Amino acid sequence: MIFKSNNNIETKQLGRTLAAQMKGGEVICLYGDLGSGKTTFMNGFINFFLPGKRVLSPTFIIVRHYNISNKKIKNILHADLYRIEKVENIDILGLAEFMNKSDKVMAIEWAERLGKYLPVKRIDIKFDIISESKRNITMTAL
Ligand SMILES: Nc1ncnc2c1ncn2[C@@H]1O[C@H](COP(=O)(O)OP(=O)(O)O)[C@@H](O)[C@H]1O
Ligand SMILES: [Mg+2]
C-alpha cells in the first residue's frame, strides 16, 4: 500500500497507525535514502507506546532498546545499520536473536544490510523522497 506524506507530522502519524496494529514478534524493515523519513516514522511509532519520549536516531550506537508496558509487547528495538560494513557484524550485534520474539517488536533502518539475516516474515516500508517535504511511503507485509 502506498501512502503520500506531505510533512513530518503525517509521517509520524503513519508510524503511530502501524504501531497500533502490532501484536508482538513483528520485524519492520525500513528502506530509503538518508533523510527520507525512516527515523521520523519511528518517532511516531515509538511515541504510540511512549508518548512524549524523545526518539533519537540509533545511527551511532546502532541499536536502541525501549521498554514499554503493553499487554503483549515488552520491548521495542530500533536499529540503524547505516554504519554496518560487513554482514558478519550483525552476528556481533545479536540482532537475529531478537527477531520474531512474541514480546518484542524490531524496527531496522537500512534493513537491506541484514543480508542473509533479513527475515522472510517481515513488514517492508520503503521511503521515497518526492520533494523537500513530500514522501511516498510504501508498506508491504511479507
Ligand atoms: N514528509 C516528510 N516525512 C518525513 N520527513 C520529512 C518530511 N518532509 C521533510 N522531512 C525532513 O526529512 C528529514 C528526515 O530525516 P530522518 O527521519 O532522520 O530520515 P532517515 O532516518 O530516513 O535518514 C527530516 O529532516 C525531516 O524534517
Ligand atoms: Mg534514520
Side-chain angles (χ1 to χ4, degrees):
M1 198 160 355
I2 302 185
F3 299 88
K4 290 187 187 299
S5 166
N6 295 302
N7 51 53
N8 290 356
I9 293 164
E10 288 185 11
T11 298
K12 285 182 198 173
Q13 186 50 47
L14 264 177
R16 277 195 203 92
T17 304
L18 181 69
Q21 296 171 36
M22 293 295 101
K23 295 184 166 62
E26 290 89 351
V27 180
I28 298 163
C29 293
L30 305 121
Y31 314 87
D33 292 341
L34 276 178
S36 60
K38 303 180 293 299
T39 300
T40 303
F41 179 94
M42 285 309 299
N43 198 295
F45 187 95
I46 291 164
N47 279 169
F48 173 79
F49 297 105
L50 296 171
K53 179 85 184 172
R54 231 175 122 213
V55 175
L56 301 171
S57 171
T59 305
F60 294 98
I61 59 157
I62 306 181
V63 189
R64 283 180 194 276
H65 293 245
Y66 295 88
N67 293 328
I68 59 172
S69 49
N70 175 274
K71 268 199 299 248
K72 293 163 288 187
I73 303 164
K74 300 291 168 245
N75 327 89
I76 301 173
L77 274 92
H78 179 195
D80 184 340
L81 305 184
Y82 184 66
R83 298 172 72 86
I84 292 284
E85 277 156 24
K86 288 189 282 185
V87 72
E88 294 79 65
N89 293 342
I90 306 279
D91 277 332
I92 299 160
L93 287 173
L95 281 184
E97 291 161 36
F98 285 97
M99 285 180 191
N100 306 114
K101 291 274 194 312
S102 62
D103 63 346
K104 301 186 195 313
V105 170
M106 269 192 80
I108 306 159
E109 300 188 28
W110 297 94
E112 57 270 49
R113 306 210 172 161
L114 280 174
K116 63 177 175 178
Y117 295 100
L118 191 68
V120 177
K121 190 169 186 293
R122 61 185 196 262
I123 298 166
D124 274 347
I125 312 184
K126 176 79 172 67
F127 295 77
D128 288 303
I129 301 176
I130 304 304
S131 69
E132 196 179 329
S133 64
K134 290 187 198 302
R135 305 287 187 268
N136 281 356
I137 301 172
T138 309
M139 297 200 205
T140 318
L142 297 167

